[in-house]
Structure formats: structure tokens, C-alpha cells
Amino acid sequence: MKSKLRAARVAVGRRLVPEGGFTFPELSVAMLVTGIVVASGLTFVVVSVHQWGNQEGRVDATDDARNALNSMALELRDAASVKLVNASTVDASLWNSNGTTSTVRFACAVSGGTRRCTRTVIATGATETLVDDVTNSDNFAKVLGSDVAGTSSANGALQIKVEAEVEDTTSDGDPQDPLSLLETVKPRNCVASPATGVLNPPC
């Protein structure tokens, strides 16, 4: 009988031994600290992704504007004649493979709500967009002087300027400054008795 009572007391004693675990206040503090750590980590990730997106947008805008400048400069440099029409338009007679020329117009104008630079073959009306989101209207200007592109000619050259919009904002929420690129082109081919506005040197 005594042994049964002793066994019963031991069993009850085992059930009354405190079990390991956390109290509600301890759990609350642990959850609060975990929440702060997670929030800090998420903030860092969001800012990093935003800055990466800004850089990627700027690189894309730079590539587009640079490709447009290179395309225009290449054709204008080797054109049979280049004529400055106004600050946003240039006409060029480009050589065809059969020795004839075709007039091409490079123009930067508002179209469809955005300013874009285009290349249009006058005879066919075929138009190609070179770059979108251009913010400036002074895209073409005559440059006078004898030092342009390392030549000794006193005739003019053409400066091409493209300012492109960068869509995203900086980390403090301000809009980014437009990207500005310049290229100066000296027409290589001479023209007999060049007309007014033609930048090619006389033959």
C-alpha cells in the first residue's frame, strides 16, 4: 500500500514539474525585435532595387541616345550634301549604291505626345524612329571655325545635341536630370557652289 502511494506521489510530482517555454511577454518582445529586423532588411532591399532600376533606366536612355547620335553622325558625315533647315531639322543627300542620291530628313519633333528624332526618306515617306523621349528642341546647330574634327577647312560643321528623358526618380524622390549628349559632324564631301545652309565645303 505504501509503495502504491509513493508511486502515485512520484507520478503527480512529475506532472507538476514546470515545463520549458516562453511567457507571453517574452514572445511579444521576440516578435517585436524580429519585426524590426525584417523591416530593416526589406527597406534595404527595396532601396537597392529602386537604385538598380534607376541605373538601368539611365543606361538604357544613354544607349538609345548614343545609338541615335551615331546613326545620324555616320550618315551626315558621308552625305553628298548637308543642309541645316532649322534647329530641329536637317536635310541630307545620301549616296545610293548606284551613284545617285536620295534626300533624307533628320528631324526631332513632337509626335504622339512625345518628342522623338526620326529619319525620313523624302521620296518614299518611309520613317524610322531613332530615339524617343527627347526633351530639347535645339537639336542641330551650325558650328563655325577651322578646328572642327581636326580639319583646316573654314566651313561649318554640324553639332547634334540630344537630351533624353530619364523616366525614374532619384532615391530622394526628385526627378533625374535629362541625359545630354553632343556630337559634332564635319561633312567630308565637297559641293560645287553650295547653296545657303549647305555645310559641305565648296569643291
Side-chain angles (χ1 to χ4, degrees), residues 82-166:
V82 177
K83 182 177 182 180
L84 179 63
V85 177
N86 56 45
S88 60
T89 307
V90 167
D91 286 346
S93 293
L94 303 182
W95 292 107
N96 298 318
S97 58
N98 62 3
T100 62
T101 60
S102 297
T103 302
V104 171
R105 171 163 287 180
F106 296 96
C108 298
V110 176
S111 173
T114 185
R115 178 175 284 277
R116 57 176 51 101
C117 293
T118 58
R119 176 191 187 276
T120 302
V121 180
I122 300 297
T124 63
T127 300
E128 171 191 2
T129 298
L130 300 175
V131 62
D132 285 316
D133 300 321
V134 176
T135 60
N136 63 313
S137 57
D138 56 338
N139 307 103
F140 304 104
K142 187 174 183 179
V143 181
L144 299 175
S146 59
D147 310 341
V148 179
T151 70
S152 58
S153 170
N155 294 284
L158 185 70
Q159 179 178 276
I160 309 170
K161 180 180 181 183
V162 175
E163 289 183 355
E165 181 179 307
V166 181

Side-chain angles (χ1 to χ4, degrees), residues 164-187:
E165 181 179 307
V166 181
E167 294 181 3
D168 222 324
T169 58
T170 59
S171 57
D172 57 3
D174 295 331
Q176 292 196 44
D177 293 331
L179 173 74
S180 184
L181 296 175
L182 290 171
E183 180 81 30
T184 302
V185 177
K186 180 74 178 176

